[in-house]
Amino acid sequence: MKSDIEIAQECVLDPITAVADNFGIPSDDLELYGKYKAKISDELYDKVKNNKDAKLVLVTAINPTPAGEGKTTTTIGLADGLNRLGVKTIVALREPSLGPCMGVKGGAAGGGYAQVVPMEDINLHFTGDIHAITTANNLLASMIDNHIHQGNLLDIDTNHITWKRAVDLNDRVLRDVVVGLGEKNGVTREDGFMITVASEIMAIVCLAENIKDLKEKLGKIIIGYNRSGKPVTAKELKADGAMTALLKDAIKPNLVQTLEHHPAIIHGGPFANIAHGCNSVRATKTAMKLADVVVTEAGFGADLGAEKFFDIKCRKAGLKPDAVVLVATVRALKYNGGVPKTELAEPNLEAVKKGFVNLEKHIENLHKFGVPVVVTLNNFVTDTKEEVDFIRSKCEDLGAKFALSEVWAKGGEGGAELANKVMDTLNNKVSNFKPIYDENDSIVNKINTICKEIYGADGVEFLPKVKKEIAKLEELGLDKMPVCIAKTQYSLSDNAKLLGRPTGFTVTIKEVRVSAGVGFIVALAGDVMTMPGLPKIPAAENIDVDDNGRIIGLF
């Protein structure tokens, strides 16, 4: 069996100008990064902004398992399948982070015959967006410490600096560090790093409408507090202009292609377990002016990526999704039913029945947002007819359409059934989308709503320090924003070991802080960390380059 990278390298790519031309995008509106990658100019959106909006389809999934669900692969294969039906479709995805690529997850450009290419470039440095975000983040960090060293006119309290440095790699030793050691190296203080894709600047780039909005959001970033307890912003440090300059190209969406030569807009890469998990507003809105249907995805399971897509991105950008595709696999349901990873290929209808409760909860949750649901089962040769028929019947009983997907093996052709079910839904079902809570409600009530309605918790425990943090935000008038909960992706609860559909649990909120620039409140639940570590055997050990510069190994 060929690997993903072998399949991608066998593809004869079309020049990106030709891919763009097929969708009515003039070459003058492309900023080329070689033959097969481009950024879309600022001027293009102004030209097409009065076009009718495309239908918007979100692809999400059940809670991820070691077996893999294939959400991004399904997203790409669905877009190719729709284009095969003659429906003008663009896929809009996030950019991969180098941390997971070199760590445990591998690449994020799809798989098999449902990929975006050039996948090596996309999975590595791409057009440099994440590096620019890293640099802007660390510029602000260096200006904070320099300001303190040079006299501290803003009276910044060095014990209450909330801004952290960033790097786009998994590196656990950087979670907590001490800076300023040695003579004449600034003020010694505790600091730390987060992975770039969890940073507030990544979220800002993804939610900014234009360069003016970007600068305004960057200026509102709260870097910490002064000795009087008042917030200190990036604008007060006079860092917003330079940060905007570093991000002037990174804010522009990137255009590449699928293996079947259809356009793919890939831009922004926030994690969904510790950030808001969606590609950029600019990418989605641009795609919606250039196509009849736009297929996008949100990270991890629907309890994280989809909830944040609906409650944060759609709310802030004024988007109204028309349908949602929920990805599952027989193997993943068996895993949720208690079957070890080594036995997932064996027929086990009883385990499927037991594990179906995870899929059931996600269907129920998505219906709470008023959006029609199509469940798709990523098909494997080890799946039995009895297992598939059971899942199909149960999904239809819950009011969701059902389709098998074979996009990994067959590309867009393998997505025909799913594409037809999606079009039937778009043509015959009305979306009554609405967020699940009022952003003007209290922080406590918003967190309670998400934890009880989406996760299925009995209640929420707020640690004593969290209650003080919430009271502080309320005092400062920084509480009327959406909430972004950071928690494990592996369970509906905040405990990664609780599979299926946990009940009788309480979510523990360990920290609450405000991302005033991007405009949401971050609540950390359970043991989630904003800087991942590498596994015992990192994916980087399997990546190599031959003498001709050709990448070999796995992403």
Side-chain angles (χ1 to χ4, degrees):
M1 182 182 295
K2 294 178 182 177
S3 69
D4 292 345
I5 194 168
E6 289 171 332
I7 292 170
Q9 288 175 339
E10 289 177 357
C11 173
V12 178
L13 279 69
D14 285 349
I16 197 62
T17 49
V19 175
D21 185 60
N22 288 338
F23 266 68
I25 303 172
S27 57
D28 287 347
D29 287 312
L30 299 180
E31 298 173 8
L32 300 178
Y33 283 64
K35 292 182 180 179
Y36 308 116
K37 299 173 292 183
K39 280 194 169 288
I40 297 173
S41 73
D42 293 330
E43 292 76 23
L44 178 64
Y45 188 79
D46 289 333
K47 293 178 182 178
V48 299
K49 64 183 179 182
N50 293 323
N51 289 359
K52 181 181 177 181
D53 281 336
K55 297 283 189 178
L56 181 60
V57 178
L58 173 71
V59 179
T60 184
I62 62 173
N63 292 96
T65 71
E69 286 62 58
K71 175 164 49 63
T72 303
T73 301
T74 300
T75 305
I76 298 164
L78 170 58
D80 281 338
L82 288 167
N83 275 302
R84 281 174 174 253
L85 293 179
V87 180
K88 192 177 181 182
T89 304
I90 292 179
V91 62
L93 301 170
R94 293 175 299 160
E95 301 178 43
S97 164
L98 280 176
C101 286
M102 298 294 165
V104 66
K105 184 172 171 287
Y113 290 90
Q115 295 189 55
V116 283
V117 283
M119 69 92 82
E120 306 101 302
D121 294 1
I122 294 166
N123 279 317
L124 294 176
H125 305 291
F126 202 18
T127 57
D129 294 346
I130 297 181
H131 295 309
I133 291 167
T134 301
T135 305
N137 184 99
N138 293 339
L139 170 67
L140 179 55
S142 65
M143 290 184 72
I144 294 167
D145 284 305
N146 182 63
H147 180 88
I148 295 167
H149 177 70
Q150 302 293 351
N152 198 4
L153 294 179
L154 293 173
D155 199 29
I156 297 170
D157 186 345
T158 56
N159 292 317
H160 288 90
I161 295 173
T162 56
W163 192 254
K164 292 191 174 187
R165 287 166 162 81
V167 64
D168 188 36
L169 288 171
N170 295 7
D171 197 346
R172 64 174 56 83
V173 302
L174 294 179
R175 289 170 185 160
D176 297 291
V177 300
V178 176
V179 297
L181 294 173
E183 293 185 16
K184 299 181 181 179
N185 292 332
V187 175
T188 302
R189 67 179 183 87
E190 292 185 8
D191 198 359
F193 281 72
M194 62 170 55
I195 192 165
T196 300
V197 287
S199 68
E200 184 173 356
I201 294 184
M202 173 60 83
I204 286 173
V205 168
C206 287
L207 291 176
E209 296 277 357
N210 50 49
I211 200 79
K212 179 183 177 183
D213 188 37
L214 174 68
K215 184 178 179 181
E216 289 176 355
K217 284 179 164 58
L218 292 171
K220 291 177 182 177
I221 291 171
I222 294 174
I223 62 92
Y225 298 85
N226 63 21
R227 290 188 178 92
S228 299
K230 302 296 183 184
V232 179
T233 66
K235 186 172 184 178
E236 290 177 292
L237 282 166
K238 300 179 182 178
D240 52 328
M243 292 163 69
T244 306
L246 288 169
L247 298 168
K248 69 178 182 65
D249 292 320
I251 193 176
K252 299 172 184 176
N254 306 297
L255 183 68
V256 288
Q257 62 191 287
T258 70
L259 288 177
E260 299 188 11
H261 310 299
H262 301 127
I265 298 180
I266 302 182
H267 191 226
F271 279 173
N273 58 341
I274 46 183
H276 75 284
C278 312
N279 73 325
S280 76
V281 168
R282 283 192 58 159
T284 303
K285 286 193 170 183
T286 300
M288 290 178 69
K289 295 297 183 181
L290 297 170
D292 296 323
V293 173
V294 170
V295 183
T296 190
E297 55 98 28
F300 293 126
D303 54 316
L304 288 169
E307 184 273 317
K308 295 171 183 180
F309 177 85
F310 293 141
D311 282 326
I312 297 176
K313 179 176 177 176
C314 290
R315 187 197 306 266
K316 287 187 169 294
L319 299 173
K320 181 183 176 183
D322 296 282
V324 58
V325 173
L326 179 59
V327 181
T329 64
V330 169
R331 300 191 306 175
L333 295 183
K334 289 177 187 174
Y335 187 82
N336 272 283
V339 174
K341 183 180 177 181
T342 54
E343 300 175 15
L344 295 177
E346 299 176 13
N348 194 331
L349 181 59
E350 290 308 309
V352 171
K353 290 179 178 179
K354 185 178 178 182
F356 183 82
V357 292
N358 186 266
L359 176 56
E360 177 184 53
K361 175 59 174 166
H362 286 297
I363 294 172
E364 291 175 6
N365 285 347
L366 294 170
H367 279 148
K368 291 177 181 180
F369 292 96
V371 183
V373 179
V374 179
V375 175
T376 188
L377 200 65
N378 240 347
N379 196 225
F380 288 80
V381 293
T382 55
D383 299 348
T384 68
K385 184 177 185 302
E386 290 76 16
E387 291 167 339
V388 173
D389 286 348
F390 170 80
I391 298 168
R392 182 191 299 272
S393 176
K394 291 288 288 184
C395 288
E396 291 173 349
D397 287 345
L398 290 167
K401 288 186 179 295
F402 179 90
L404 278 179
S405 171
E406 298 178 286
V407 298
W408 190 94
K410 300 179 181 179
E413 179 187 356
E417 182 182 351
L418 176 58
N420 278 297
K421 289 291 177 69
V422 167
M423 286 309 301
D424 182 53
T425 299
L426 294 177
N427 291 330
N428 297 299
K429 285 197 173 184
V430 177
S431 172
N432 296 308
F433 167 71
K434 63 177 181 179
I436 203 167
Y437 59 80
D438 184 340
E439 66 180 328
N440 293 315
D441 203 349
S442 69
I443 295 174
V444 168
N445 285 347
K446 285 180 283 198
I447 293 174
N448 266 300
T449 297
I450 297 170
C451 291
K452 292 179 180 180
E453 292 293 326
I454 302 300
Y455 308 158
D458 282 356
V460 181
E461 179 188 0
F462 296 89
L463 297 186
K465 75 160 196 164
V466 172
K467 295 178 181 178
K468 293 179 181 178
E469 290 165 349
I470 291 174
K472 179 71 172 179
L473 295 180
E474 290 173 342
E475 177 189 338
L476 294 170
L478 296 171
D479 56 328
K480 306 305 181 186
M481 305 178 188
V483 170
C484 180
I485 297 183
K487 78 167 184 74
T488 178
Q489 64 269 32
Y490 297 115
S491 171
L492 283 159
S493 73
D494 59 348
N495 180 350
K497 295 180 180 179
L498 298 180
L499 302 180
R501 182 176 184 166
T503 58
F505 66 92
T506 298
V507 172
T508 301
I509 302 298
K510 295 186 173 181
E511 181 182 347
V512 167
R513 60 173 180 258
V514 66
S515 292
V518 69
F520 58 60
I521 294 156
V522 179
L524 274 65
D527 296 323
V528 69
M529 295 181 179
T530 56
M531 169 56 79
L534 290 171
K536 188 173 183 179
I537 303 176
E541 292 187 13
N542 297 315
I543 300 173
D544 204 350
V545 180
D546 66 19
D547 293 341
N548 296 314
R550 189 179 178 92
I551 294 175
I552 53 178
L554 303 174
F555 271 111

